[in-house]
Amino acid sequence: MNKQHSGELKDFMKGFNLRHLINQDSNLLRLFIMLFVVFTIMSAVKPHLFLKSDNFISMAYQFPEYGVLSIAMMLSMLTGGVDLSIVGVSNLSGILTAIMLSKMIPQDAAPGYILFMIILAVLMALAVGTLCGLFNGFVISKIGVPAILATLGSMQLFTGIALVLTNGRIVTGIPIMYSNLGNTAVWGILPVPLILYILSAIVISSLLSKTSFGLELYMMGTNPTASRFSGINNTKVTMLTYMTSGILAAVAGLIVVARTNSAKADFGTSYTLQTVLISLLGGVNPNGGFGTVAGVTVAILILQFLSSGFNMFPSISNFIKDLIWGLVLILVMVFNYYSNKYAQKRAISKRSKEFAQKTM
């Protein structure tokens, strides 16, 4: 290995060094403390249930689908926008996959043919996610519709298409091979959904920290006017961002279909709120320009530990959980607001002192 490649490898590995990540995002230390506190409380309250290996295996299958959606949401928020259509894209991709697999594979099909059709269906789902994302990016960047309104409308559009295709019914009859492939545990310990989440996190993290696209995305999110005058094509960056968000949503749809062995138009309606909550908790600035995959990942684990803990209390229903997520979302936004305000005051005070010392 020559020196250049060795240096590139060191730079790549540096991106996944914990100390380096904390130096990049001071919010991470706070998140790790929260993760430790939540884990300790749940372990102390229900040790015989929470600390069981079955519980952790179950969590490894549960969080990847909304974890991948959270990364998709984070990307759109980095631009200063939001993507409310990710669940609609996920369901539409999943439904088209399920229809293709259930209608085009005969009962007595050979395993090789089934595998070939599964590969085709996966590629089709990713293509659907890409087109949906490009549609969002076009409406936002070319037509100029605010992201929240554009994706609210496309969410209804994609969900409507899914409802028309299925007449509101659940799509079943998917070959069992698809579920087996999607729920296999590699080496007996790594579920495929978890591997897909890890791959998505690594790819997006590298895309944001190692490529010019990532730099342009952060610059545009921080100040779109300045980025335009510095030569960045904001339209292109926006369309690429929402296209990537759509692909990730399609990946989440494929994971859901594998886990449930079915697809329906209204699956995961609560995920939109959860992904926004995770992104904000993970330190993503809703005004754009700041946020990391590492922060979002730790936030996902915090919410998964909380969710698993709540499931151990039969008296806490799903309605109460939605209420709790809503309250947590408001508290996180209020905390982030005052935290940012305090940080700005400290920065101004520090600069004033430095200026005073120089002029003395």
Side-chain angles (χ1 to χ4, degrees):
M1 184 182 292
N2 60 37
K3 286 184 179 177
Q4 184 185 353
H5 287 166
S6 175
E8 288 174 355
L9 181 62
K10 282 181 181 175
D11 287 344
F12 182 80
M13 295 307 296
K14 192 178 175 183
F16 301 102
N17 181 283
L18 183 60
R19 184 178 292 177
H20 177 71
L21 289 172
I22 290 176
N23 287 336
Q24 271 191 327
D25 182 2
S26 57
N27 185 52
L28 263 181
L29 184 60
R30 175 169 61 88
L31 287 171
F32 276 120
I33 293 171
M34 286 175 67
L35 181 66
F36 176 75
V37 170
V38 171
F39 181 85
T40 305
I41 290 173
M42 291 303 170
S43 301
V45 174
K46 293 279 185 181
H48 57 292
L49 293 175
F50 188 78
L51 294 177
K52 283 179 70 175
S53 60
D54 288 349
N55 183 41
F56 290 103
I57 292 171
S58 173
M59 284 192 274
Y61 279 99
Q62 287 173 15
F63 81 79
E65 58 194 47
Y66 69 83
V68 175
L69 287 174
S70 299
I71 296 176
M73 181 63 79
M74 180 202 77
L75 278 178
S76 62
M77 290 176 75
L78 287 178
T79 66
V82 69
D83 190 350
L84 300 177
S85 71
I86 49 174
V87 174
V89 177
S90 172
N91 287 333
L92 180 59
S93 303
I95 282 170
L96 288 171
T97 302
I99 290 174
M100 183 174 173
L101 292 176
S102 60
K103 301 289 184 189
M104 298 181 70
I105 298 179
Q107 291 289 332
D108 56 349
Y113 179 74
I114 297 174
L115 183 61
F116 174 71
M117 291 303 295
I118 287 174
I119 293 170
L120 278 185
V122 168
L123 292 175
M124 182 202 63
L126 296 177
V128 170
T130 304
L131 289 175
C132 291
L134 282 174
F135 176 78
N136 282 333
F138 179 81
V139 174
I140 294 165
S141 61
K142 283 286 187 183
I143 301 178
V145 178
I148 190 169
L149 297 178
T151 55
L152 184 65
S154 62
M155 175 188 72
Q156 288 298 110
L157 174 65
F158 302 145
T159 303
I161 294 171
L163 284 169
V164 169
L165 287 171
T166 60
N167 288 321
R169 299 191 187 97
I170 299 175
V171 182
T172 56
I174 301 165
I176 197 68
M177 182 190 285
Y178 181 80
S179 290
N180 289 340
L181 286 172
N183 291 304
T184 300
V186 178
W187 300 312
I189 53 171
L190 277 177
V192 168
L194 180 61
I195 292 173
L196 288 174
Y197 175 77
I198 293 171
L199 286 176
S200 302
I202 290 174
V203 168
I204 299 303
S205 180
S206 301
L207 192 71
L208 292 175
S209 59
K210 310 289 181 189
T211 67
S212 57
F213 166 73
L215 180 63
E216 290 173 356
L217 174 56
Y218 280 117
M219 287 180 69
M220 188 189 79
T222 304
N223 190 329
T225 305
S227 70
R228 187 180 300 114
F229 281 106
S230 65
I232 293 173
N233 186 337
N234 286 359
T235 301
K236 181 183 170 186
V237 173
T238 303
M239 291 194 72
L240 284 175
T241 303
Y242 280 87
M243 183 189 77
T244 311
S245 176
I247 293 172
L248 289 170
V251 172
L254 291 169
I255 295 173
V256 171
V257 173
R259 184 174 65 81
T260 62
N261 203 33
S262 62
K264 60 178 181 175
D266 61 348
F267 183 86
T269 49
S270 64
Y271 283 173
T272 305
L273 173 66
Q274 284 187 36
T275 53
V276 172
L277 170 59
I278 287 168
S279 298
L280 293 175
L281 183 63
V284 180
N285 187 343
N287 296 317
F290 186 80
T292 62
V293 174
V296 169
T297 300
V298 181
I300 289 167
L301 293 177
I302 291 171
L303 256 66
Q304 182 59 59
F305 286 166
L306 278 173
S307 180
S308 295
F310 290 154
N311 287 337
M312 294 168 192
F313 294 91
S315 57
I316 301 179
S317 68
N318 287 333
F319 303 116
I320 295 178
K321 273 197 267 186
D322 284 342
L323 173 70
I324 293 170
W325 298 146
L327 283 172
V328 172
L329 178 61
I330 292 171
L331 286 174
V332 168
M333 285 192 292
V334 171
F335 177 83
N336 285 347
Y337 172 77
Y338 283 106
S339 178
N340 292 335
K341 203 173 175 181
Y342 177 70
Q344 285 175 354
K345 273 187 179 178
R346 282 191 64 185
I348 293 170
S349 172
K350 186 179 176 184
R351 281 200 292 270
S352 300
K353 284 179 183 174
E354 287 174 352
F355 180 75
Q357 286 175 351
K358 286 179 183 175
T359 53
M360 281 178 68

